[in-house]
Amino acid sequence: MLRRSKGIISLILIAVLVWATPVLGAPTVLLDGRQLSFDVPPMIENGRPLVPLRAIFEAMGATVSWDDPTKTATAVKGDTTVVLRIGSTSPTINAQVKQLDVPAKIVDGRTLAPLRFVGEAFGGTVGWDPATQVITIVSVPTSGSAPTISEQIKVHFIDVGQADSIYIELPDNNDILIDGGNVADGPLVVDYLTKQGVDDIELLIATHPHEDHIGGLPDVLNAFRVEKVIDSGKSATSKIYNTYAATVKAEGCTYEQDNYQSYTWGNTALQIYTGNETWNDVNDYSVVCRLDTGDIEFMFMGDAETPVEDILTGDLSAEILKVGHHGSTTSTSAAFLARINPKVAVISVGTGNTYGHPAPETLNKLQAAGIKVYRTDLNGNVVVSTDGKTYTVTTTETPIIHEPEGTPPPLPVSSQGTYIGSIKSDKYHLPHCRYAKEIEWANEIWFQTKEEARVAGYKPCGVCKP
Ligand SMILES: [Zn+2]
Ligand SMILES: [Zn+2]
């Protein structure tokens, strides 16, 4: 019965199409509501509209040039350059390669290219209604800022004192939060996320049931719609754990235990490295995960200690390491550090904490490996932005060092110690000293105390007078 009615509908559809095609003719293109006319009209190929590239780009205010030997069209508008070769499915926008489902082709001497590519190349949006054969393109004004071509990802290590809270901002409004600080940090984390424009949280990871990781999460769960919660499955008898568990339940979201899952959002993947292992120490239940954004990876350790580091398998390499357990000696073994091989280490830690975190031993290990260290106690919020190829680190605070009045604000954002020297000289400086800024990364040597510097044979700089 169903099959027969489908057949009848198909027949009617074909009849309508056969009848309709000559009446409707080629698709109409409306650019910002204005109908464009073409000498070679758009066409439909395999159900996809192909539209005249030059005519539409020029109507958008772009300059188009054509190189006949290579059959390549180049269009420039503002600081955006689009390069498309006939027959190729990989055009570039500002040298970034894009993928087309169908290649551009030449029809009667004109380049026809897929609608979505043409409409969106300069940041516009497109619509296509097969029923009315109307293509709509809404462009962005030339005076406006250039469209963001690359997919920016930002990882925010929120300064929650002696605790962890990491917000990952992905393209297309996908938001991940790993931990939420102590109970008292709840409002701060909610405020931080609100200011970043978070509407809902696609994935919330509670690494392990210590207060400095789950404490602020009930506030987060109450403030935002959360789609999915992952935790280690390890429970605790504490009041905060009970509140956390009850709030997750009340949220009615999907809940999973860590089990080596992976998730992808566009070009970004999140891999969980932990599952149902059993440990003596609650810290070792931490959900460990890695964010892969192309060439740049982030490793998030929670409070996992060396026993966990030792059992992790697979590719662990990452440019950015969230150091395990606030820089305690019980984490970040030399062997593990070598496997991660990070360029940057972030330590989430509170000023004057009673645990002595981060341990000088850990700092020395990071320093010896030439890793740039950022600490929330000295740097405030640490934000790493990446387009999947390179990354930049920004911080809200520059390290606070005891310094004379009227000294210019410190510039270096790295803070592996209180004093910095160069292996090429015998002077040590305050990090903001103009001589300190000239020291190349590879030559940096850091000291926690003046005594340490003196023992190493370094003398105080006469300019910054450390
Ligand atoms: Zn912790
Ligand atoms: Zn812990």
Side-chain angles (χ1 to χ4, degrees):
M1 186 62 192
L2 252 178
R3 185 168 298 227
R4 187 174 299 167
S5 54
K6 250 192 193 165
I8 291 167
I9 290 167
S10 303
L11 270 178
I12 294 169
L13 265 178
I14 289 165
V16 168
L17 284 175
V18 167
W19 168 80
T21 308
V23 177
L24 289 169
T28 306
V29 177
L30 299 176
L31 173 65
D32 298 326
R34 175 169 59 99
Q35 185 170 344
L36 301 182
S37 57
F38 307 101
D39 47 3
V40 177
M43 58 184 284
I44 307 301
E45 193 162 275
N46 299 327
R48 293 172 198 283
L50 295 179
V51 297
L53 178 125
R54 177 187 283 265
I56 292 176
F57 276 176
E58 286 181 345
M60 288 173 167
T63 311
V64 185
S65 57
W66 171 254
D67 182 56
D68 203 54
T70 57
K71 302 275 180 261
T72 301
T74 303
V76 179
K77 183 187 176 190
D79 34 22
T80 304
T81 301
V82 176
V83 179
L84 176 65
R85 195 165 53 78
I86 298 302
S88 161
T89 51
S90 9
T92 60
I93 299 178
N94 284 354
Q96 280 206 349
V97 178
K98 301 284 160 181
Q99 282 303 316
L100 301 182
D101 294 328
V102 286
K105 59 192 270 183
I106 295 181
V107 178
D108 295 338
R110 296 283 182 231
T111 304
L112 296 194
L115 163 68
R116 190 158 296 274
F117 175 74
V118 174
E120 295 177 353
F122 294 110
T125 49
V126 300
W128 159 235
D129 184 353
T132 58
Q133 299 274 297
V134 172
I135 289 167
T136 50
I137 302 175
V138 179
S139 70
V140 288
T142 317
S143 55
S145 58
T148 32
I149 306 299
S150 57
E151 300 211 316
Q152 277 286 331
I153 288 158
K154 283 187 181 177
V155 177
H156 304 246
F157 299 87
I158 307 171
D159 178 12
V160 283
Q162 184 65 20
D164 272 18
S165 186
I166 303 154
Y167 162 51
I168 304 170
E169 189 182 344
L170 298 178
D172 303 322
N173 280 326
N174 286 306
D175 302 303
I176 304 174
L177 183 72
I178 303 175
D179 291 336
N182 281 296
V183 172
D185 301 318
L188 181 152
V189 174
V190 168
D191 184 57
Y192 190 95
L193 297 179
T194 306
K195 286 194 174 127
Q196 300 301 321
V198 172
D199 46 357
D200 56 3
I201 295 170
E202 275 64 25
L203 178 60
L204 174 63
I205 298 177
T207 59
H208 67 296
H210 277 155
E211 193 215 330
D212 58 322
H213 296 257
I214 60 167
L217 291 181
D219 281 349
V220 170
L221 284 152
N222 288 330
F224 301 99
R225 195 174 68 85
V226 174
E227 278 182 17
K228 179 179 288 187
V229 171
I230 293 182
D231 69 20
S232 59
K234 176 73 179 166
S235 60
T237 51
S238 61
K239 185 166 166 253
I240 180 55
Y241 177 77
N242 290 333
T243 309
Y244 156 78
T247 319
V248 169
K249 202 171 174 192
E251 184 75 13
C253 58
T254 315
Y255 167 79
E256 290 175 14
Q257 289 186 13
D258 63 338
N259 191 26
Y260 320 101
Q261 306 94 316
S262 59
Y263 302 92
T264 53
W265 295 266
N267 301 325
T268 308
L270 185 83
Q271 174 69 51
I272 293 178
Y273 280 80
T274 45
N276 57 349
E277 296 85 7
T278 324
W279 302 102
N280 292 324
D281 191 320
V282 173
N283 283 338
D284 289 334
Y285 281 91
S286 291
V287 177
V288 171
C289 58
R290 188 173 83 146
L291 186 77
D292 183 339
T293 70
D295 295 341
I296 308 298
E297 284 87 33
F298 296 76
M299 192 78 184
F300 302 105
M301 298 303 299
D303 277 356
E305 300 183 347
T306 294
V308 178
E309 297 173 351
D310 288 346
I311 63 139
L312 297 182
T313 54
D315 182 8
L316 303 180
S317 63
E319 276 67 24
I320 292 101
L321 168 68
K322 200 300 287 186
V323 174
H325 197 193
H326 319 282
S328 151
T329 52
T330 49
S331 303
T332 324
S333 73
F336 184 66
L337 201 55
R339 287 181 72 196
I340 306 269
N341 192 22
K343 303 274 185 298
V344 167
V346 181
I347 304 177
S348 198
V349 71
T351 311
N353 68 80
T354 51
Y355 309 96
H357 294 162
E361 195 181 318
T362 305
L363 292 174
N364 290 340
K365 219 178 281 175
L366 295 168
Q367 179 196 314
I371 300 160
K372 287 288 256 191
V373 175
Y374 295 87
R375 296 166 46 168
T376 56
D377 60 340
L378 299 176
N379 300 117
N381 302 314
V382 177
V383 181
V384 184
S385 312
T386 177
D387 59 1
K389 297 210 163 5
T390 58
Y391 60 88
T392 52
V393 184
T394 51
T395 62
T396 49
E397 306 268 340
T398 36
I400 300 159
I401 312 287
H402 302 289
E403 57 197 327
E405 284 293 307
T407 345
L411 265 188
V413 284
S414 170
S415 45
Q416 287 166 218
T418 313
Y419 306 103
I420 179 174
S422 165
I423 55 169
K424 307 255 169 174
S425 105
D426 63 350
K427 294 284 192 303
Y428 71 92
H429 317 261
L430 290 168
H432 69 257
C433 174
R434 67 171 188 268
Y435 292 111
K437 288 173 206 159
E438 287 169 7
I439 302 169
E440 287 178 28
W441 274 27
N443 298 334
E444 284 181 10
I445 177 163
W446 288 84
F447 308 105
Q448 308 302 325
T449 62
K450 291 180 196 183
E451 178 60 13
E452 215 175 274
R454 194 191 60 79
V455 170
Y458 281 75
K459 300 184 192 72
C461 163
V463 174
C464 61
K465 298 190 175 62

